Every structure is written in structure tokens, then in C-alpha cells.
Amino acid sequence: QSALTQPPSASGSPGQSVTISCTGTSSDVGGYNYVSWYQQHPGKAPKLMIYEVSKRPSGVPDRFSGSKSGNTASLTVSGLQAEDEADYYCSSYAGSNSHVFGTGTKVTVL
Amino acid sequence: EVQLVESGGGLVQPGGSLRLSCAASGFTFRSYWMHWVRQAPGKGLLWVSGMNSDGSSTTYADSVKGQFTISRDNAKNTLYLQMNSLRVEDTAVYYCARGGPFGRSSPDYWGQGTLVTVSS
């Protein structure tokens, strides 16, 4: 149950795109199409942005997109906006009804 | 509207116990897996435990196995987390989160969390 690996930080100017990686193993990210991404603003609860690798919950802008290749999943935020500045966490199903989160990435809008 | 409201957090001494509650509303509670996730101050998210819809199946992170017990009362739409032998490193905000109809579904809705502080 080791945490998935994410870069500590990422940044981009308004209107640009930023991509965050999430690396796991064949026992979690690579083994299941149950990767999710969460956005967390300071002092707030996480908010689901992407589920099942690339699906967006109702109300999430289509600027947010997800993908997966092998043991690495990615979240891309296109057309960066000031309100996108937050911490982002990936999560994956890890078998036996357990889940594992990523180490988190702080996204800064320059 | 889905709502999850945690309660029961507070200050407890090392070795002590605490029971967290999560009151659910706005959805058919008895149809969903439910989870507890914690976040130590300034740290990342850690999945703690999950329970299936009828309470017959539970899972735990290795770090809390044998120490924490998850349970639910579907008649009261409430999820619980019994925490025993608490350690300083258990200090965190504990979130209750709704899963899906299956254990592999990621948590979607989250409560606002309740802070547990373990300190002498």
C-alpha cells in the first residue's frame, strides 16, 4: 500500500495547460481502470474531478481530462484559470476493496 | 443533495480511544460503500478503511489494521470509525466519503472532516 508517486509541484500561466503524472504499479494504477483525481483547496474537502481514468462528474469543466498508460495516469488541466490553483491527488483501486492515494501535487497559476 | 457530516473528533491522549460518526443524507445510504480517509496536518490523503453497503465486508489500510474498526447503522444512515490505542501519528483530519455500489469505485462525495489530535 505504498502511495502513488506525483510530482510535488506544477505550474502554468493563465490559459496554458498543465499535466500531472501519477505513477503506481501493476497492482494498482496499471491493473485497474479505476483511477480518480481530486482537487483540494486549502482548508476544504477534496472534490472529485475525474473518475475511472477519464470520466468527468457532472459539473466539472471539460478543461479537466484524464488518461492512463501502463502504470502511469495523468491529469491535464487546459486553459488554466486562477481558481484551478489547488492541490491535486490521484487515487487508484488497489485490489481487495482497498484504495491508495497519490503523494499530491500543488498546482500554481503564475 | 448528498451531505456527509462528521463528528466526534477532538483532543485525546496517546493510548486513548475515540469514535467518529458520519451522518449521511441526500442519497440511499444502504446502497453504497463508505470510506474513511485521513489527512495529517500539511500532508497528503491516506485511505483508512472501507465498508460495503450492508456491513458484511470491511477493509483497512495496513497502518490501522487491528487498531481501527469501521461500522455502519443503515437504519440511522450513519457510518462510524472506532479508533483505539491512538498514537501521535494518528493526528489528522478524518473525512467520511461515499464510495459506489462496488468496492472498486472511488469515493465521490466527501464530508468536511473532523480533526483528531492525539497529544499529551
Side-chain angles (χ1 to χ4, degrees), chain A residues 1 32 34-36 38 40 43-46 48 52 89 91 93 96-103, chain B residues 33 35 37 39 43-47 57 59-62 95 103-108 110-112:
Chain A
Q1 294 182 339
Y32 308 95
Y34 284 90
V35 176
S36 298
Y38 299 90
Q40 186 180 35
K44 300 294 188 181
L48 181 66
E52 292 177 18
Y89 294 91
S91 171
Y93 180 67
S96 301
N97 295 318
S98 70
H99 296 261
V100 60
F101 284 93
T103 50
Chain B
W33 273 78
H35 301 274
V37 178
Q39 186 170 34
K43 302 297 184 181
L45 301 171
L46 176 71
W47 175 84
S57 178
T59 55
Y60 298 92
D62 289 343
Y95 293 102
R104 60 186 62 196
S105 300
S106 302
D108 53 6
W110 298 57
Q112 285 305 301

Short mmCIF file of all heavy atoms in Angstrom, two decimals, chain A residues 1 32 34-36 38 40 43-46 48 52 89 91 93 96-103, chain B residues 33 35 37 39 43-47 57 59-62 95 103-108 110-112:
data_model
loop_
_atom_site.label_atom_id
_atom_site.label_comp_id
_atom_site.label_asym_id
_atom_site.label_seq_id
_atom_site.Cartn_x
_atom_site.Cartn_y
_atom_site.Cartn_z
N GLN A 1 0.81 -1.20 0.00
CA GLN A 1 0.00 0.00 0.00
C GLN A 1 0.85 1.26 0.00
O GLN A 1 0.62 2.19 0.77
CB GLN A 1 -0.95 -0.01 1.19
CG GLN A 1 -2.00 -1.10 1.13
CD GLN A 1 -2.96 -1.06 2.30
OE1 GLN A 1 -2.67 -0.49 3.36
NE2 GLN A 1 -4.12 -1.68 2.14
N TYR A 32 -6.00 -1.71 -12.98
CA TYR A 32 -7.43 -1.39 -12.98
C TYR A 32 -7.70 -0.05 -13.64
O TYR A 32 -6.89 0.87 -13.56
CB TYR A 32 -7.96 -1.32 -11.54
CG TYR A 32 -7.63 -2.51 -10.68
CD1 TYR A 32 -6.51 -2.51 -9.85
CD2 TYR A 32 -8.44 -3.66 -10.71
CE1 TYR A 32 -6.21 -3.60 -9.06
CE2 TYR A 32 -8.13 -4.74 -9.92
CZ TYR A 32 -7.01 -4.71 -9.10
OH TYR A 32 -6.72 -5.79 -8.31
N TYR A 34 -9.59 2.19 -12.59
CA TYR A 34 -10.28 2.89 -11.51
C TYR A 34 -9.33 3.91 -10.89
O TYR A 34 -9.02 3.86 -9.70
CB TYR A 34 -10.80 1.90 -10.46
CG TYR A 34 -12.04 1.17 -10.92
CD1 TYR A 34 -11.94 -0.03 -11.62
CD2 TYR A 34 -13.31 1.71 -10.69
CE1 TYR A 34 -13.08 -0.67 -12.08
CE2 TYR A 34 -14.44 1.07 -11.15
CZ TYR A 34 -14.32 -0.12 -11.84
OH TYR A 34 -15.45 -0.76 -12.28
N VAL A 35 -8.88 4.83 -11.73
CA VAL A 35 -8.04 5.93 -11.29
C VAL A 35 -8.90 7.19 -11.21
O VAL A 35 -9.69 7.47 -12.11
CB VAL A 35 -6.86 6.18 -12.25
CG1 VAL A 35 -6.07 7.41 -11.81
CG2 VAL A 35 -5.98 4.94 -12.31
N SER A 36 -8.76 7.90 -10.12
CA SER A 36 -9.53 9.13 -9.91
C SER A 36 -8.58 10.27 -9.61
O SER A 36 -7.43 10.05 -9.19
CB SER A 36 -10.51 8.97 -8.75
OG SER A 36 -11.44 7.96 -9.02
N TYR A 38 -8.56 14.19 -7.58
CA TYR A 38 -9.26 15.08 -6.67
C TYR A 38 -8.55 16.43 -6.62
O TYR A 38 -7.32 16.50 -6.66
CB TYR A 38 -9.30 14.48 -5.25
CG TYR A 38 -10.03 13.16 -5.18
CD1 TYR A 38 -9.37 11.96 -5.37
CD2 TYR A 38 -11.40 13.12 -4.93
CE1 TYR A 38 -10.03 10.75 -5.31
CE2 TYR A 38 -12.08 11.90 -4.87
CZ TYR A 38 -11.39 10.73 -5.07
OH TYR A 38 -12.05 9.54 -5.01
N GLN A 40 -8.16 19.81 -4.19
CA GLN A 40 -8.38 20.24 -2.81
C GLN A 40 -7.84 21.65 -2.60
O GLN A 40 -6.64 21.88 -2.74
CB GLN A 40 -7.71 19.28 -1.82
CG GLN A 40 -8.04 19.60 -0.37
CD GLN A 40 -7.39 18.66 0.61
OE1 GLN A 40 -6.28 18.19 0.41
NE2 GLN A 40 -8.09 18.37 1.72
N GLY A 43 -7.91 24.06 3.35
CA GLY A 43 -8.95 24.01 4.36
C GLY A 43 -10.26 23.40 3.91
O GLY A 43 -11.23 23.41 4.67
N LYS A 44 -10.28 22.88 2.70
CA LYS A 44 -11.51 22.31 2.16
C LYS A 44 -11.39 20.81 1.96
O LYS A 44 -10.29 20.25 1.93
CB LYS A 44 -11.86 22.97 0.82
CG LYS A 44 -12.06 24.48 0.91
CD LYS A 44 -13.27 24.83 1.74
CE LYS A 44 -13.56 26.32 1.67
NZ LYS A 44 -14.75 26.68 2.52
N ALA A 45 -12.53 20.17 1.78
CA ALA A 45 -12.55 18.75 1.48
C ALA A 45 -12.16 18.52 0.02
O ALA A 45 -12.38 19.39 -0.82
CB ALA A 45 -13.93 18.17 1.76
N PRO A 46 -11.60 17.36 -0.28
CA PRO A 46 -11.31 17.04 -1.68
C PRO A 46 -12.58 17.00 -2.51
O PRO A 46 -13.65 16.65 -2.02
CB PRO A 46 -10.68 15.65 -1.59
CG PRO A 46 -10.13 15.57 -0.20
CD PRO A 46 -11.12 16.32 0.64
N LEU A 48 -14.02 15.48 -6.24
CA LEU A 48 -13.76 14.55 -7.34
C LEU A 48 -13.81 15.28 -8.67
O LEU A 48 -14.81 15.92 -9.00
CB LEU A 48 -14.79 13.43 -7.31
CG LEU A 48 -14.64 12.35 -8.39
CD1 LEU A 48 -13.36 11.54 -8.20
CD2 LEU A 48 -15.87 11.41 -8.39
N GLU A 52 -12.66 6.82 -12.92
CA GLU A 52 -12.47 5.75 -13.91
C GLU A 52 -11.61 6.24 -15.08
O GLU A 52 -11.96 6.11 -16.25
CB GLU A 52 -13.83 5.23 -14.38
CG GLU A 52 -14.56 4.47 -13.27
CD GLU A 52 -15.94 3.99 -13.68
OE1 GLU A 52 -16.25 3.92 -14.88
OE2 GLU A 52 -16.73 3.68 -12.76
N TYR A 89 -4.75 15.34 -6.09
CA TYR A 89 -4.37 14.00 -5.67
C TYR A 89 -4.97 12.97 -6.64
O TYR A 89 -6.15 13.07 -7.00
CB TYR A 89 -4.89 13.70 -4.27
CG TYR A 89 -4.26 14.52 -3.18
CD1 TYR A 89 -4.82 15.74 -2.79
CD2 TYR A 89 -3.10 14.09 -2.53
CE1 TYR A 89 -4.23 16.50 -1.79
CE2 TYR A 89 -2.52 14.83 -1.53
CZ TYR A 89 -3.09 16.04 -1.16
OH TYR A 89 -2.50 16.79 -0.17
N SER A 91 -5.86 8.85 -7.20
CA SER A 91 -6.24 7.72 -6.37
C SER A 91 -6.47 6.54 -7.29
O SER A 91 -6.91 6.70 -8.43
CB SER A 91 -7.52 8.05 -5.60
OG SER A 91 -8.04 6.90 -4.95
N TYR A 93 -7.80 2.22 -7.30
CA TYR A 93 -8.19 0.98 -6.67
C TYR A 93 -6.95 0.11 -6.62
O TYR A 93 -6.14 0.08 -7.56
CB TYR A 93 -9.29 0.30 -7.46
CG TYR A 93 -9.75 -1.01 -6.88
CD1 TYR A 93 -10.41 -1.05 -5.66
CD2 TYR A 93 -9.53 -2.21 -7.55
CE1 TYR A 93 -10.85 -2.24 -5.11
CE2 TYR A 93 -9.98 -3.41 -7.01
CZ TYR A 93 -10.63 -3.43 -5.79
OH TYR A 93 -11.05 -4.61 -5.24
N SER A 96 -8.63 -6.00 -3.54
CA SER A 96 -9.20 -6.40 -2.24
C SER A 96 -9.97 -5.26 -1.57
O SER A 96 -9.91 -5.07 -0.36
CB SER A 96 -8.09 -6.88 -1.30
OG SER A 96 -7.41 -7.98 -1.85
N ASN A 97 -10.70 -4.52 -2.38
CA ASN A 97 -11.54 -3.41 -1.91
C ASN A 97 -10.75 -2.31 -1.19
O ASN A 97 -11.30 -1.62 -0.32
CB ASN A 97 -12.67 -3.93 -1.02
CG ASN A 97 -13.63 -4.81 -1.79
OD1 ASN A 97 -14.00 -4.50 -2.93
ND2 ASN A 97 -14.02 -5.93 -1.20
N SER A 98 -9.48 -2.15 -1.50
CA SER A 98 -8.67 -1.09 -0.90
C SER A 98 -8.34 -0.04 -1.96
O SER A 98 -8.44 -0.29 -3.16
CB SER A 98 -7.38 -1.66 -0.32
OG SER A 98 -6.52 -2.09 -1.35
N HIS A 99 -7.96 1.12 -1.48
CA HIS A 99 -7.62 2.23 -2.35
C HIS A 99 -6.31 2.85 -1.89
O HIS A 99 -5.93 2.72 -0.71
CB HIS A 99 -8.73 3.28 -2.33
CG HIS A 99 -10.04 2.79 -2.87
ND1 HIS A 99 -10.47 3.04 -4.15
CD2 HIS A 99 -11.01 2.02 -2.30
CE1 HIS A 99 -11.65 2.45 -4.34
NE2 HIS A 99 -12.00 1.82 -3.23
N VAL A 100 -5.64 3.53 -2.81
CA VAL A 100 -4.39 4.20 -2.47
C VAL A 100 -4.39 5.57 -3.14
O VAL A 100 -4.86 5.72 -4.28
CB VAL A 100 -3.16 3.36 -2.89
CG1 VAL A 100 -3.14 3.11 -4.39
CG2 VAL A 100 -1.88 4.00 -2.41
N PHE A 101 -3.88 6.56 -2.42
CA PHE A 101 -3.81 7.91 -2.94
C PHE A 101 -2.39 8.25 -3.37
O PHE A 101 -1.41 7.61 -2.95
CB PHE A 101 -4.25 8.93 -1.88
CG PHE A 101 -5.74 8.98 -1.69
CD1 PHE A 101 -6.34 8.21 -0.71
CD2 PHE A 101 -6.53 9.79 -2.48
CE1 PHE A 101 -7.72 8.24 -0.52
CE2 PHE A 101 -7.91 9.83 -2.30
CZ PHE A 101 -8.50 9.04 -1.32
N GLY A 102 -2.30 9.27 -4.20
CA GLY A 102 -1.00 9.78 -4.60
C GLY A 102 -0.44 10.73 -3.56
O GLY A 102 -1.11 11.11 -2.60
N THR A 103 0.80 11.13 -3.78
CA THR A 103 1.50 12.00 -2.82
C THR A 103 1.05 13.45 -2.91
O THR A 103 1.35 14.24 -2.02
CB THR A 103 3.01 11.91 -3.06
OG1 THR A 103 3.27 12.12 -4.46
CG2 THR A 103 3.55 10.56 -2.63
N TRP B 33 -20.99 1.66 -0.73
CA TRP B 33 -19.78 1.53 0.08
C TRP B 33 -19.52 2.90 0.71
O TRP B 33 -19.83 3.94 0.13
CB TRP B 33 -18.59 1.17 -0.81
CG TRP B 33 -18.42 -0.28 -1.04
CD1 TRP B 33 -19.12 -1.07 -1.90
CD2 TRP B 33 -17.43 -1.12 -0.42
NE1 TRP B 33 -18.65 -2.35 -1.84
CE2 TRP B 33 -17.61 -2.42 -0.94
CE3 TRP B 33 -16.41 -0.90 0.52
CZ2 TRP B 33 -16.81 -3.49 -0.55
CZ3 TRP B 33 -15.62 -1.97 0.90
CH2 TRP B 33 -15.83 -3.25 0.38
N HIS B 35 -16.34 5.08 3.05
CA HIS B 35 -14.91 5.05 3.37
C HIS B 35 -14.55 6.12 4.40
O HIS B 35 -15.24 7.14 4.55
CB HIS B 35 -14.09 5.31 2.10
CG HIS B 35 -14.31 4.33 0.99
ND1 HIS B 35 -13.62 3.15 0.91
CD2 HIS B 35 -15.16 4.37 -0.06
CE1 HIS B 35 -14.01 2.49 -0.17
NE2 HIS B 35 -14.96 3.20 -0.76
N VAL B 37 -11.10 8.44 5.14
CA VAL B 37 -9.81 8.90 4.60
C VAL B 37 -9.28 9.96 5.57
O VAL B 37 -10.05 10.78 6.07
CB VAL B 37 -9.98 9.51 3.20
CG1 VAL B 37 -8.64 10.02 2.68
CG2 VAL B 37 -10.58 8.50 2.23
N GLN B 39 -6.09 12.90 6.70
CA GLN B 39 -5.05 13.80 6.20
C GLN B 39 -4.36 14.45 7.39
O GLN B 39 -4.95 15.28 8.08
CB GLN B 39 -5.66 14.86 5.29
CG GLN B 39 -4.67 15.76 4.61
CD GLN B 39 -5.32 16.63 3.55
OE1 GLN B 39 -6.45 17.06 3.66
NE2 GLN B 39 -4.59 16.87 2.45
N LYS B 43 -0.06 17.30 5.21
CA LYS B 43 0.32 16.09 4.48
C LYS B 43 -0.76 15.70 3.46
O LYS B 43 -1.78 16.38 3.31
CB LYS B 43 0.55 14.95 5.46
CG LYS B 43 1.63 15.24 6.50
CD LYS B 43 3.00 15.45 5.87
CE LYS B 43 4.07 15.64 6.92
NZ LYS B 43 5.42 15.88 6.31
N GLY B 44 -0.54 14.58 2.79
CA GLY B 44 -1.47 14.10 1.78
C GLY B 44 -2.58 13.24 2.33
O GLY B 44 -2.68 13.01 3.54
N LEU B 45 -3.40 12.77 1.42
CA LEU B 45 -4.54 11.94 1.79
C LEU B 45 -4.10 10.49 1.98
O LEU B 45 -3.24 9.99 1.25
CB LEU B 45 -5.60 12.00 0.68
CG LEU B 45 -6.16 13.38 0.37
CD1 LEU B 45 -7.03 13.32 -0.88
CD2 LEU B 45 -6.97 13.92 1.55
N LEU B 46 -4.72 9.84 2.95
CA LEU B 46 -4.44 8.42 3.20
C LEU B 46 -5.76 7.70 3.37
O LEU B 46 -6.54 8.01 4.29
CB LEU B 46 -3.59 8.26 4.47
CG LEU B 46 -3.31 6.80 4.88
CD1 LEU B 46 -2.33 6.16 3.91
CD2 LEU B 46 -2.77 6.74 6.31
N TRP B 47 -6.03 6.74 2.50
CA TRP B 47 -7.22 5.92 2.66
C TRP B 47 -7.07 5.07 3.91
O TRP B 47 -6.03 4.44 4.12
CB TRP B 47 -7.40 5.05 1.42
CG TRP B 47 -8.54 4.08 1.53
CD1 TRP B 47 -9.86 4.32 1.29
CD2 TRP B 47 -8.47 2.71 1.93
NE1 TRP B 47 -10.60 3.19 1.52
CE2 TRP B 47 -9.78 2.19 1.91
CE3 TRP B 47 -7.43 1.88 2.31
CZ2 TRP B 47 -10.07 0.88 2.23
CZ3 TRP B 47 -7.70 0.57 2.65
CH2 TRP B 47 -9.02 0.07 2.60
N SER B 57 -18.68 -6.60 4.72
CA SER B 57 -17.30 -6.62 4.25
C SER B 57 -16.59 -5.33 4.64
O SER B 57 -17.11 -4.24 4.45
CB SER B 57 -17.26 -6.78 2.73
OG SER B 57 -15.92 -6.75 2.26
N THR B 59 -12.53 -3.35 4.91
CA THR B 59 -11.12 -3.35 4.53
C THR B 59 -10.42 -2.21 5.27
O THR B 59 -11.05 -1.19 5.59
CB THR B 59 -10.94 -3.16 3.01
OG1 THR B 59 -11.62 -1.96 2.61
CG2 THR B 59 -11.48 -4.34 2.24
N TYR B 60 -9.13 -2.41 5.51
CA TYR B 60 -8.36 -1.44 6.26
C TYR B 60 -6.98 -1.24 5.64
O TYR B 60 -6.40 -2.17 5.07
CB TYR B 60 -8.16 -1.91 7.71
CG TYR B 60 -9.43 -2.07 8.49
CD1 TYR B 60 -10.07 -3.30 8.54
CD2 TYR B 60 -10.00 -1.00 9.17
CE1 TYR B 60 -11.25 -3.46 9.26
CE2 TYR B 60 -11.18 -1.15 9.89
CZ TYR B 60 -11.80 -2.38 9.92
OH TYR B 60 -12.97 -2.53 10.64
N ALA B 61 -6.46 -0.06 5.80
CA ALA B 61 -5.06 0.17 5.47
C ALA B 61 -4.21 -0.59 6.48
O ALA B 61 -4.60 -0.74 7.65
CB ALA B 61 -4.74 1.66 5.53
N ASP B 62 -3.05 -1.07 6.02
CA ASP B 62 -2.18 -1.84 6.92
C ASP B 62 -1.83 -1.05 8.18
O ASP B 62 -1.69 -1.63 9.25
CB ASP B 62 -0.89 -2.22 6.18
CG ASP B 62 -1.12 -3.28 5.11
OD1 ASP B 62 -2.18 -3.94 5.15
OD2 ASP B 62 -0.24 -3.44 4.25
N TYR B 95 -11.89 12.29 7.14
CA TYR B 95 -13.00 12.52 6.23
C TYR B 95 -13.81 11.24 6.04
O TYR B 95 -13.24 10.14 5.88
CB TYR B 95 -12.50 12.94 4.86
CG TYR B 95 -11.82 14.28 4.78
CD1 TYR B 95 -10.43 14.37 4.73
CD2 TYR B 95 -12.55 15.46 4.74
CE1 TYR B 95 -9.80 15.60 4.64
CE2 TYR B 95 -11.93 16.70 4.64
CZ TYR B 95 -10.55 16.75 4.60
OH TYR B 95 -9.93 17.97 4.50
N GLY B 103 -16.84 -2.04 -4.35
CA GLY B 103 -15.67 -1.62 -3.59
C GLY B 103 -14.61 -0.92 -4.41
O GLY B 103 -13.85 -0.11 -3.88
N ARG B 104 -14.57 -1.21 -5.71
CA ARG B 104 -13.53 -0.61 -6.52
C ARG B 104 -13.83 0.83 -6.94
O ARG B 104 -12.96 1.53 -7.43
CB ARG B 104 -13.27 -1.47 -7.75
CG ARG B 104 -14.45 -1.68 -8.67
CD ARG B 104 -14.08 -2.68 -9.76
NE ARG B 104 -13.74 -3.99 -9.19
CZ ARG B 104 -13.10 -4.93 -9.86
NH1 ARG B 104 -12.70 -4.70 -11.09
NH2 ARG B 104 -12.83 -6.08 -9.29
N SER B 105 -15.04 1.27 -6.73
CA SER B 105 -15.41 2.64 -7.11
C SER B 105 -14.77 3.65 -6.17
O SER B 105 -14.79 3.47 -4.95
CB SER B 105 -16.94 2.82 -7.07
OG SER B 105 -17.55 1.92 -7.96
N SER B 106 -14.20 4.68 -6.72
CA SER B 106 -13.54 5.71 -5.92
C SER B 106 -14.55 6.53 -5.14
O SER B 106 -15.67 6.73 -5.59
CB SER B 106 -12.74 6.65 -6.81
OG SER B 106 -11.79 5.95 -7.56
N PRO B 107 -14.13 7.05 -3.99
CA PRO B 107 -15.02 7.95 -3.25
C PRO B 107 -15.40 9.14 -4.10
O PRO B 107 -14.56 9.70 -4.81
CB PRO B 107 -14.18 8.37 -2.05
CG PRO B 107 -13.20 7.26 -1.87
CD PRO B 107 -12.89 6.79 -3.26
N ASP B 108 -16.68 9.54 -4.05
CA ASP B 108 -17.08 10.71 -4.83
C ASP B 108 -17.41 11.90 -3.92
O ASP B 108 -16.77 12.91 -3.96
CB ASP B 108 -18.21 10.39 -5.82
CG ASP B 108 -19.43 9.73 -5.21
OD1 ASP B 108 -19.48 9.60 -3.96
OD2 ASP B 108 -20.33 9.33 -5.96
N TRP B 110 -17.54 13.86 -0.30
CA TRP B 110 -16.77 13.87 0.95
C TRP B 110 -17.44 14.82 1.95
O TRP B 110 -18.03 15.82 1.58
CB TRP B 110 -15.36 14.38 0.69
CG TRP B 110 -14.54 13.55 -0.23
CD1 TRP B 110 -14.83 13.19 -1.53
CD2 TRP B 110 -13.28 12.96 0.05
NE1 TRP B 110 -13.84 12.43 -2.06
CE2 TRP B 110 -12.86 12.27 -1.12
CE3 TRP B 110 -12.44 12.97 1.17
CZ2 TRP B 110 -11.65 11.59 -1.19
CZ3 TRP B 110 -11.23 12.29 1.10
CH2 TRP B 110 -10.84 11.60 -0.06
N GLY B 111 -17.30 14.49 3.23
CA GLY B 111 -17.70 15.42 4.26
C GLY B 111 -16.63 16.48 4.46
O GLY B 111 -15.60 16.48 3.77
N GLN B 112 -16.84 17.38 5.40
CA GLN B 112 -15.89 18.45 5.66
C GLN B 112 -14.78 18.02 6.62
O GLN B 112 -13.80 18.76 6.79
CB GLN B 112 -16.61 19.68 6.22
CG GLN B 112 -17.37 20.45 5.15
CD GLN B 112 -16.47 20.84 3.99
OE1 GLN B 112 -15.47 21.52 4.14
NE2 GLN B 112 -16.83 20.39 2.78
#
